[in-house]
């Protein structure tokens, strides 16, 4: 099960990386088309869609790697039992919020598909397509929160600490 979940997080991160490559392509296409005097319709909208997809798809992997911002100043003042209780409380709240985000993101994409909702730009993209990246990323993020909560409850959670503090200038 652990390999399956880690593979899910890594796959979402790989999709986020592909979105970033696509974003680079859209920006380059926009710049080159302006320099050469022609217009490619919808490039700015697609760049925005890819940016949102990259952000949401990378959430779970970033969380599991310990790279999300955490406020540990207060937690470090408590003893082990109190700290664990706060960790469990925060993971329960985060799991509930993550599930809500996933539910409403999926609902938004589904409703956009049902109503044939299209973008208002000149590209007329069906909005469920870019919203799918947000929905998938939110679902994987919710799974990551529940995964961390279960690991904490079982006493198997190893909180990863970012090395960012070591890179201060």
């Amino acid at each position: 099960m652990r390999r399956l979940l880690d593979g899910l997080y890594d796959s979402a991160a790989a999709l986020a990386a592909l979105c970033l490559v696509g974003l680079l392509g859209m920006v380059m296409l926009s710049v080159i088309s302006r320099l050469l005097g022609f217009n490619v319709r919808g490039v700015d909208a697609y760049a925005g869609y890819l940016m949102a997809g990259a952000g949401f798809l990378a959430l779970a992997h970033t969380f599991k790697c310990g790279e999300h911002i955490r406020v540990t100043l207060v937690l470090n003042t408590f003893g082990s039992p109190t700290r664990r209780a706060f960790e469990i409380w925060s993971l329960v709240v985060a799991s509930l919020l993550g599930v809500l985000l996933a539910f409403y993101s999926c609902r938004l994409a589904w409703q956009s598909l049902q109503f044939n909702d299209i973008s208002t730009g000149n590209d007329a993209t069906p909005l469920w397509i870019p919203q799918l990246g947000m929905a998938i990323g939110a679902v994987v993020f919710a799974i990551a929160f529940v995964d961390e909560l279960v690991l904490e409850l079982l006493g198997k959670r190893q909180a990863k600490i970012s090395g960012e503090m070591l890179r201060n200038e």
Side-chain angles (χ1 to χ4, degrees), residues 17-157:
L18 286 175
C19 285
L20 286 176
V21 171
L23 174 62
L24 173 66
M26 291 295 115
V27 170
M28 287 177 57
L29 180 60
S30 177
V31 170
I32 291 170
S33 69
R34 286 184 189 141
L35 287 174
L36 297 178
F38 65 93
N39 181 28
V40 179
R41 295 175 11 162
V43 171
D44 294 337
Y46 290 124
Y49 301 151
L50 289 166
M51 188 182 307
F56 274 91
L57 288 166
L59 284 172
H61 187 267
T62 306
F63 174 67
K64 293 299 281 186
C65 289
E67 294 294 330
H68 279 215
I69 296 172
R70 291 181 43 112
V71 181
T72 56
L73 184 63
V74 175
L75 287 177
N76 289 336
T77 62
F78 295 127
S80 183
T82 307
R83 181 185 173 105
R84 185 165 190 268
F86 274 109
E87 288 281 353
I88 291 171
W89 177 80
S90 65
L91 286 170
V92 166
V93 171
S95 296
L96 290 173
L97 291 173
V99 167
L100 282 172
L101 175 66
F103 173 77
Y104 284 107
S105 296
C106 292
R107 182 177 167 196
L108 177 66
W110 179 253
Q111 287 177 340
S112 292
L113 176 64
Q114 283 183 321
F115 299 142
N116 294 320
D117 198 11
I118 60 171
S119 69
T120 57
N122 58 5
D123 58 319
T125 301
L127 286 179
W128 69 270
I129 296 171
Q131 289 169 352
L132 202 56
M134 180 180 83
I136 292 169
V139 167
V140 177
F141 194 38
I143 291 169
F145 275 133
V146 172
D147 180 22
E148 285 295 304
L149 175 61
V150 169
L151 288 174
E152 182 67 37
L153 291 172
L154 295 175
K156 296 181 178 180
R157 182 169 176 245

